[in-house]
Amino acid sequence: QLKKEMEAKIEEEVKAETQEFFEAADQVGDGVVTKEEFIEYKEEQLKKEMEVKIEEQVQAETQEFFEAAATDGQTYVSREEFMEYKRSEGISEQEVQAATEAFFAVADKDGDGVVTTEEFAQYKEEEAREAAEAKIQEEA
């Protein structure tokens, strides 16, 4: 009895998944998924998965960075805080200066001398998207 119930449940789930697939992939609505429709469907699925991964990565990196670099749980990092953060990596003062200038040039979107959590997340998202695009181009 339990086996029959399990088989029926599995069959029901497969039917539901198949129906969802056809509704999403069959662009013409003719009950047939062409090769082109399937490829487009898979590309869209991969894009959605990539978006989720990027968002998770950005959130984790933002939290990690601000825990390490910001003082007193602030939602921004000043140039001085960033320089202290870089010094903790054991790099030379010249490298600290160069890294600070490079970071603030791209991450401090409004030029106010601090990088907020929002600006940092935007910076990391752009960086992640560029890396993902490069990987896609490399694989193509």
Side-chain angles (χ1 to χ4, degrees):
Q1 178 67 19
L2 183 60
K3 184 179 179 183
K4 285 186 179 185
E5 287 177 16
M6 292 292 285
E7 288 174 349
K9 185 174 180 163
I10 290 171
E11 185 175 335
E12 189 177 304
E13 287 177 13
V14 168
K15 283 181 182 179
E17 287 177 17
T18 302
Q19 181 67 31
E20 285 177 31
F21 166 75
F22 270 91
E23 286 174 5
D26 183 15
Q27 298 171 355
V28 179
D30 61 0
V32 176
V33 176
T34 66
K35 179 180 175 182
E36 291 78 15
E37 287 173 323
F38 179 77
I39 290 170
E40 198 168 309
Y41 169 79
K42 288 304 285 182
E43 286 175 346
E44 193 61 36
Q45 292 299 107
L46 291 172
K47 285 179 186 177
K48 287 178 184 177
E49 289 174 21
M50 183 179 75
E51 287 296 322
V52 169
K53 287 180 183 179
I54 286 173
E55 187 174 321
E56 290 171 352
Q57 177 184 343
V58 166
Q59 287 177 351
E61 289 180 10
T62 300
Q63 182 177 349
E64 182 181 312
F65 174 74
F66 277 82
E67 285 175 359
T71 57
D72 301 327
Q74 296 170 319
T75 59
Y76 63 87
V77 171
S78 67
R79 285 183 175 277
E80 294 76 24
E81 289 170 319
F82 185 79
M83 291 173 79
E84 284 303 315
Y85 170 74
K86 294 309 281 183
R87 286 182 186 115
S88 73
E89 295 178 354
I91 61 176
S92 74
E93 193 60 27
Q94 186 177 5
E95 291 171 310
V96 167
Q97 291 286 338
T100 301
E101 291 307 315
F103 176 70
F104 274 79
V106 293
D108 185 12
K109 303 293 185 187
D110 62 7
D112 66 353
V114 297
V115 174
T116 64
T117 52
E118 293 83 11
E119 288 173 320
F120 184 82
Q122 184 180 354
Y123 160 71
K124 292 309 274 184
E125 186 175 325
E126 290 167 2
E127 190 177 73
R129 288 186 192 290
E130 287 172 13
E133 287 297 322
K135 186 175 183 180
I136 289 169
Q137 294 299 322
E138 183 179 291
E139 292 176 359

PDB file of all heavy atoms in Angstrom, residues 5 8-9 20 24-25 44 46 58 76 81 91 99 101 110 112 117 119 130 134 137:
ATOM      1  N   GLU A   5       1.257   4.264  -2.847  1.00  0.00           N
ATOM      2  CA  GLU A   5       1.059   5.677  -2.522  1.00  0.00           C
ATOM      3  C   GLU A   5       2.275   6.499  -2.944  1.00  0.00           C
ATOM      4  O   GLU A   5       2.136   7.600  -3.478  1.00  0.00           O
ATOM      5  CB  GLU A   5       0.803   5.853  -1.023  1.00  0.00           C
ATOM      6  CG  GLU A   5      -0.567   5.385  -0.589  1.00  0.00           C
ATOM      7  CD  GLU A   5      -0.766   5.492   0.920  1.00  0.00           C
ATOM      8  OE1 GLU A   5       0.015   6.198   1.596  1.00  0.00           O
ATOM      9  OE2 GLU A   5      -1.708   4.854   1.417  1.00  0.00           O
ATOM     10  N   ALA A   8       2.364   6.767  -6.733  1.00  0.00           N
ATOM     11  CA  ALA A   8       1.344   7.710  -7.181  1.00  0.00           C
ATOM     12  C   ALA A   8       1.801   9.149  -6.919  1.00  0.00           C
ATOM     13  O   ALA A   8       1.606  10.034  -7.755  1.00  0.00           O
ATOM     14  CB  ALA A   8       0.016   7.435  -6.483  1.00  0.00           C
ATOM     15  N   LYS A   9       2.401   9.370  -5.769  1.00  0.00           N
ATOM     16  CA  LYS A   9       2.887  10.715  -5.423  1.00  0.00           C
ATOM     17  C   LYS A   9       4.008  11.134  -6.369  1.00  0.00           C
ATOM     18  O   LYS A   9       4.023  12.259  -6.846  1.00  0.00           O
ATOM     19  CB  LYS A   9       3.362  10.756  -3.978  1.00  0.00           C
ATOM     20  CG  LYS A   9       3.749  12.125  -3.528  1.00  0.00           C
ATOM     21  CD  LYS A   9       4.070  12.199  -2.064  1.00  0.00           C
ATOM     22  CE  LYS A   9       4.437  13.626  -1.745  1.00  0.00           C
ATOM     23  NZ  LYS A   9       4.410  13.952  -0.369  1.00  0.00           N
ATOM     24  N   GLU A  20       4.763  22.259 -15.677  1.00  0.00           N
ATOM     25  CA  GLU A  20       5.470  23.522 -15.428  1.00  0.00           C
ATOM     26  C   GLU A  20       6.520  23.779 -16.510  1.00  0.00           C
ATOM     27  O   GLU A  20       6.657  24.894 -17.001  1.00  0.00           O
ATOM     28  CB  GLU A  20       6.144  23.506 -14.057  1.00  0.00           C
ATOM     29  CG  GLU A  20       5.201  23.665 -12.903  1.00  0.00           C
ATOM     30  CD  GLU A  20       5.913  23.568 -11.565  1.00  0.00           C
ATOM     31  OE1 GLU A  20       7.104  23.953 -11.477  1.00  0.00           O
ATOM     32  OE2 GLU A  20       5.285  23.090 -10.610  1.00  0.00           O
ATOM     33  N   ALA A  24       6.473  26.836 -19.281  1.00  0.00           N
ATOM     34  CA  ALA A  24       7.579  27.798 -19.336  1.00  0.00           C
ATOM     35  C   ALA A  24       8.334  27.746 -20.659  1.00  0.00           C
ATOM     36  O   ALA A  24       8.756  28.780 -21.176  1.00  0.00           O
ATOM     37  CB  ALA A  24       8.544  27.530 -18.179  1.00  0.00           C
ATOM     38  N   ALA A  25       8.520  26.568 -21.212  1.00  0.00           N
ATOM     39  CA  ALA A  25       9.380  26.410 -22.387  1.00  0.00           C
ATOM     40  C   ALA A  25       8.649  26.500 -23.716  1.00  0.00           C
ATOM     41  O   ALA A  25       9.221  26.966 -24.700  1.00  0.00           O
ATOM     42  CB  ALA A  25      10.130  25.075 -22.308  1.00  0.00           C
ATOM     43  N   GLU A  44      17.581  30.701 -19.753  1.00  0.00           N
ATOM     44  CA  GLU A  44      16.840  31.517 -18.778  1.00  0.00           C
ATOM     45  C   GLU A  44      16.979  30.927 -17.373  1.00  0.00           C
ATOM     46  O   GLU A  44      17.165  31.662 -16.403  1.00  0.00           O
ATOM     47  CB  GLU A  44      15.368  31.610 -19.184  1.00  0.00           C
ATOM     48  CG  GLU A  44      14.591  32.646 -18.437  1.00  0.00           C
ATOM     49  CD  GLU A  44      15.106  34.056 -18.625  1.00  0.00           C
ATOM     50  OE1 GLU A  44      15.560  34.405 -19.734  1.00  0.00           O
ATOM     51  OE2 GLU A  44      15.055  34.836 -17.657  1.00  0.00           O
ATOM     52  N   LEU A  46      19.482  29.109 -16.289  1.00  0.00           N
ATOM     53  CA  LEU A  46      20.856  29.353 -15.851  1.00  0.00           C
ATOM     54  C   LEU A  46      21.060  30.800 -15.410  1.00  0.00           C
ATOM     55  O   LEU A  46      21.754  31.069 -14.431  1.00  0.00           O
ATOM     56  CB  LEU A  46      21.844  28.979 -16.953  1.00  0.00           C
ATOM     57  CG  LEU A  46      21.967  27.486 -17.254  1.00  0.00           C
ATOM     58  CD1 LEU A  46      22.819  27.262 -18.499  1.00  0.00           C
ATOM     59  CD2 LEU A  46      22.542  26.738 -16.063  1.00  0.00           C
ATOM     60  N   VAL A  58      27.299  38.317  -3.002  1.00  0.00           N
ATOM     61  CA  VAL A  58      27.428  39.735  -2.669  1.00  0.00           C
ATOM     62  C   VAL A  58      27.046  39.966  -1.210  1.00  0.00           C
ATOM     63  O   VAL A  58      27.741  40.678  -0.479  1.00  0.00           O
ATOM     64  CB  VAL A  58      26.568  40.608  -3.616  1.00  0.00           C
ATOM     65  CG1 VAL A  58      26.408  42.017  -3.087  1.00  0.00           C
ATOM     66  CG2 VAL A  58      27.193  40.625  -5.001  1.00  0.00           C
ATOM     67  N   TYR A  76      29.183  52.071   6.922  1.00  0.00           N
ATOM     68  CA  TYR A  76      30.087  52.676   5.952  1.00  0.00           C
ATOM     69  C   TYR A  76      31.525  52.447   6.401  1.00  0.00           C
ATOM     70  O   TYR A  76      31.799  52.165   7.564  1.00  0.00           O
ATOM     71  CB  TYR A  76      29.822  54.181   5.782  1.00  0.00           C
ATOM     72  CG  TYR A  76      30.059  54.979   7.038  1.00  0.00           C
ATOM     73  CD1 TYR A  76      31.331  55.477   7.342  1.00  0.00           C
ATOM     74  CD2 TYR A  76      29.031  55.232   7.937  1.00  0.00           C
ATOM     75  CE1 TYR A  76      31.564  56.183   8.507  1.00  0.00           C
ATOM     76  CE2 TYR A  76      29.253  55.948   9.088  1.00  0.00           C
ATOM     77  CZ  TYR A  76      30.514  56.424   9.374  1.00  0.00           C
ATOM     78  OH  TYR A  76      30.748  57.126  10.527  1.00  0.00           O
ATOM     79  N   GLU A  81      39.664  53.721   7.656  1.00  0.00           N
ATOM     80  CA  GLU A  81      39.315  52.355   8.041  1.00  0.00           C
ATOM     81  C   GLU A  81      39.756  51.358   6.970  1.00  0.00           C
ATOM     82  O   GLU A  81      40.272  50.282   7.283  1.00  0.00           O
ATOM     83  CB  GLU A  81      37.805  52.231   8.268  1.00  0.00           C
ATOM     84  CG  GLU A  81      37.330  52.935   9.522  1.00  0.00           C
ATOM     85  CD  GLU A  81      35.827  53.008   9.605  1.00  0.00           C
ATOM     86  OE1 GLU A  81      35.179  53.270   8.568  1.00  0.00           O
ATOM     87  OE2 GLU A  81      35.302  52.791  10.708  1.00  0.00           O
ATOM     88  N   ILE A  91      50.630  44.237   3.784  1.00  0.00           N
ATOM     89  CA  ILE A  91      51.209  44.766   2.541  1.00  0.00           C
ATOM     90  C   ILE A  91      51.906  46.094   2.833  1.00  0.00           C
ATOM     91  O   ILE A  91      51.700  46.699   3.879  1.00  0.00           O
ATOM     92  CB  ILE A  91      50.134  44.921   1.434  1.00  0.00           C
ATOM     93  CG1 ILE A  91      49.037  45.908   1.854  1.00  0.00           C
ATOM     94  CG2 ILE A  91      49.539  43.564   1.089  1.00  0.00           C
ATOM     95  CD1 ILE A  91      48.002  46.178   0.767  1.00  0.00           C
ATOM     96  N   ALA A  99      45.892  50.528  -3.252  1.00  0.00           N
ATOM     97  CA  ALA A  99      44.651  49.761  -3.111  1.00  0.00           C
ATOM     98  C   ALA A  99      43.503  50.667  -2.671  1.00  0.00           C
ATOM     99  O   ALA A  99      42.375  50.538  -3.162  1.00  0.00           O
ATOM    100  CB  ALA A  99      44.840  48.623  -2.111  1.00  0.00           C
ATOM    101  N   GLU A 101      43.207  53.972  -3.175  1.00  0.00           N
ATOM    102  CA  GLU A 101      42.812  54.842  -4.297  1.00  0.00           C
ATOM    103  C   GLU A 101      41.987  54.069  -5.324  1.00  0.00           C
ATOM    104  O   GLU A 101      40.955  54.550  -5.794  1.00  0.00           O
ATOM    105  CB  GLU A 101      44.042  55.471  -4.952  1.00  0.00           C
ATOM    106  CG  GLU A 101      44.741  56.499  -4.085  1.00  0.00           C
ATOM    107  CD  GLU A 101      43.819  57.597  -3.567  1.00  0.00           C
ATOM    108  OE1 GLU A 101      43.017  58.138  -4.357  1.00  0.00           O
ATOM    109  OE2 GLU A 101      43.891  57.895  -2.370  1.00  0.00           O
ATOM    110  N   ASP A 110      29.243  57.973  -4.791  1.00  0.00           N
ATOM    111  CA  ASP A 110      28.846  59.376  -4.697  1.00  0.00           C
ATOM    112  C   ASP A 110      30.008  60.310  -4.334  1.00  0.00           C
ATOM    113  O   ASP A 110      29.824  61.517  -4.198  1.00  0.00           O
ATOM    114  CB  ASP A 110      27.686  59.559  -3.717  1.00  0.00           C
ATOM    115  CG  ASP A 110      28.029  59.140  -2.294  1.00  0.00           C
ATOM    116  OD1 ASP A 110      29.204  58.833  -2.006  1.00  0.00           O
ATOM    117  OD2 ASP A 110      27.102  59.108  -1.459  1.00  0.00           O
ATOM    118  N   ASP A 112      31.756  60.767  -1.627  1.00  0.00           N
ATOM    119  CA  ASP A 112      31.741  61.459  -0.332  1.00  0.00           C
ATOM    120  C   ASP A 112      32.841  61.010   0.626  1.00  0.00           C
ATOM    121  O   ASP A 112      32.885  61.434   1.773  1.00  0.00           O
ATOM    122  CB  ASP A 112      30.368  61.331   0.333  1.00  0.00           C
ATOM    123  CG  ASP A 112      30.022  59.900   0.726  1.00  0.00           C
ATOM    124  OD1 ASP A 112      30.774  58.971   0.379  1.00  0.00           O
ATOM    125  OD2 ASP A 112      28.963  59.713   1.360  1.00  0.00           O
ATOM    126  N   THR A 117      27.407  50.309   2.789  1.00  0.00           N
ATOM    127  CA  THR A 117      27.111  48.903   2.484  1.00  0.00           C
ATOM    128  C   THR A 117      26.452  48.791   1.109  1.00  0.00           C
ATOM    129  O   THR A 117      26.741  47.854   0.359  1.00  0.00           O
ATOM    130  CB  THR A 117      26.190  48.271   3.551  1.00  0.00           C
ATOM    131  OG1 THR A 117      25.033  49.086   3.728  1.00  0.00           O
ATOM    132  CG2 THR A 117      26.902  48.089   4.871  1.00  0.00           C
ATOM    133  N   GLU A 119      26.846  50.856  -1.495  1.00  0.00           N
ATOM    134  CA  GLU A 119      27.853  51.093  -2.535  1.00  0.00           C
ATOM    135  C   GLU A 119      28.762  49.879  -2.686  1.00  0.00           C
ATOM    136  O   GLU A 119      29.095  49.478  -3.809  1.00  0.00           O
ATOM    137  CB  GLU A 119      28.700  52.325  -2.187  1.00  0.00           C
ATOM    138  CG  GLU A 119      27.971  53.632  -2.344  1.00  0.00           C
ATOM    139  CD  GLU A 119      28.779  54.817  -1.839  1.00  0.00           C
ATOM    140  OE1 GLU A 119      29.439  54.699  -0.785  1.00  0.00           O
ATOM    141  OE2 GLU A 119      28.741  55.858  -2.506  1.00  0.00           O
ATOM    142  N   GLU A 130      30.686  40.898 -14.067  1.00  0.00           N
ATOM    143  CA  GLU A 130      31.780  40.921 -15.047  1.00  0.00           C
ATOM    144  C   GLU A 130      32.500  39.577 -15.075  1.00  0.00           C
ATOM    145  O   GLU A 130      32.824  39.064 -16.148  1.00  0.00           O
ATOM    146  CB  GLU A 130      32.759  42.050 -14.721  1.00  0.00           C
ATOM    147  CG  GLU A 130      32.219  43.429 -15.031  1.00  0.00           C
ATOM    148  CD  GLU A 130      33.121  44.548 -14.535  1.00  0.00           C
ATOM    149  OE1 GLU A 130      34.289  44.282 -14.160  1.00  0.00           O
ATOM    150  OE2 GLU A 130      32.661  45.703 -14.532  1.00  0.00           O
ATOM    151  N   ALA A 134      32.635  37.044 -18.248  1.00  0.00           N
ATOM    152  CA  ALA A 134      33.925  36.594 -18.766  1.00  0.00           C
ATOM    153  C   ALA A 134      33.965  35.068 -18.840  1.00  0.00           C
ATOM    154  O   ALA A 134      34.467  34.498 -19.810  1.00  0.00           O
ATOM    155  CB  ALA A 134      35.066  37.124 -17.902  1.00  0.00           C
ATOM    156  N   GLN A 137      31.834  33.910 -21.771  1.00  0.00           N
ATOM    157  CA  GLN A 137      32.549  34.150 -23.020  1.00  0.00           C
ATOM    158  C   GLN A 137      33.677  33.135 -23.218  1.00  0.00           C
ATOM    159  O   GLN A 137      33.927  32.660 -24.331  1.00  0.00           O
ATOM    160  CB  GLN A 137      33.127  35.570 -23.068  1.00  0.00           C
ATOM    161  CG  GLN A 137      32.069  36.653 -23.102  1.00  0.00           C
ATOM    162  CD  GLN A 137      31.175  36.556 -24.312  1.00  0.00           C
ATOM    163  OE1 GLN A 137      31.611  36.243 -25.401  1.00  0.00           O
ATOM    164  NE2 GLN A 137      29.891  36.815 -24.117  1.00  0.00           N
TER     165      GLN A 137
END
